[in-house]
Amino acid sequence: MQATPLTASELFAYASVLLATLTLVVALAGIFAFLGLRRTAKKEAQRVAAEIAEARAETAANLYLQSELPELMRIYMTFGPESANIDRGDSVAKEGGS
């Protein structure tokens, strides 16, 4: 059995099918690439937002402590010198604060 030569219209039909298949493959690859990029961008945005929030919270806590710590120390010092000695601090630390 001998193969018959293809006509021009058959060659164009095969070429059209090949190009359509290639177009679909490229389109699907583009969709998956877009979804992957979007997922990566979302994760990175969440990481950066968490870093910024942590830095701002730390700054706010430090500013609060700097403004309130002198007053707290003044109040604690009114308890008397025997309430803030090294031996008592060591015993509290060993007992776990109880």
Side-chain angles (χ1 to χ4, degrees):
M1 188 185 233
Q2 248 182 357
T4 59
L6 297 175
T7 63
S9 63
E10 289 174 335
L11 284 175
F12 284 128
Y14 286 130
S16 294
V17 168
L18 287 174
L19 287 174
T21 304
L22 182 63
T23 302
L24 286 175
V25 168
V26 169
L28 287 175
I31 289 171
F32 286 119
F34 170 75
L35 292 175
L37 181 66
R38 193 171 99 181
R39 185 184 74 232
T40 302
K42 183 177 180 180
K43 285 182 180 180
E44 183 66 15
Q46 288 173 339
R47 185 188 65 76
V48 169
E51 284 179 5
I52 292 171
E54 182 179 340
R56 288 190 179 177
E58 182 179 353
T59 301
N62 284 336
L63 291 174
Y64 174 77
L65 286 175
Q66 287 175 5
S67 67
E68 297 296 322
L69 194 56
E71 180 63 19
L72 289 172
M73 291 302 294
R74 188 190 63 73
I75 292 170
Y76 288 144
M77 294 310 280
T78 62
F79 292 140
E82 67 278 349
S83 64
N85 62 29
I86 293 174
D87 294 332
R88 176 70 179 135
D90 289 342
S91 69
V92 168
K94 287 178 185 175
E95 295 171 6
S98 54

